[in-house]
Amino acid sequence: MTPGDPDTPQAVDFAHTDAASSRRRDKALVLARFVWDHAITSAELLAMPDDRLRRLARAAGANPPSTRETWTVVADLLDEKSRWAAAHPDDPRATPAHGDEKITWVKPPLPPWPTN
């Protein structure tokens, strides 16, 4: 058997199979719902350090993703939901349910120290 020979087993990239993509999207949907309900934007999400992302995933009831690839899918879903919310401002689903808890995950910038 030689590389290129049809009888040679090929290495399978399990992270990019259809099943893996489906599981990644399912997990991303769970995470995106939680993140949206806490009024976190896609930019804020992608700027979070890995330790905070792991805590966020656990709070959402999901096993933390092993790569940033899933978080990128979450960010895309958040952008999609934001566009939908902007087009449907009167729909109750367009307002995050727990927006007041955003500060738990996204810290506001500290004001500059006054100089005299």
Side-chain angles (χ1 to χ4, degrees), residues 2 24 83 95 113:
T2 60
R24 186 178 302 111
R83 287 189 297 275
T95 304
W113 192 262

Side-chain angles (χ1 to χ4, degrees), residues 3-105:
D5 181 1
D7 295 329
T8 302
Q10 300 295 317
V12 177
D13 180 7
F14 289 105
H16 295 95
T17 62
D18 289 342
S21 294
S22 177
R23 285 191 303 275
R24 186 178 302 111
R25 179 143 174 98
D26 291 346
K27 183 183 283 191
L29 283 168
V30 169
L31 294 168
R33 285 183 184 112
F34 183 86
V35 172
W36 169 262
D37 279 344
H38 288 80
I40 300 169
T41 67
S42 62
E44 292 167 334
L45 178 75
L46 294 176
M48 286 184 184
D50 289 340
D51 64 326
R52 191 167 314 145
L53 289 173
R54 284 190 297 275
R55 287 194 308 267
L56 186 69
R58 288 185 196 105
N63 189 32
S66 57
T67 67
R68 284 265 179 167
E69 192 170 357
T70 303
W71 292 111
T72 302
V73 175
V74 173
D76 291 343
L77 290 169
L78 291 173
D79 289 340
E80 187 178 319
K81 176 75 175 202
S82 294
R83 287 189 297 275
W84 178 88
H88 302 88
D90 296 331
D91 191 306
R93 296 171 294 175
T95 304
H98 304 286
D100 57 330
E101 297 174 14
K102 176 178 181 171
I103 195 165
T104 304
W105 303 104

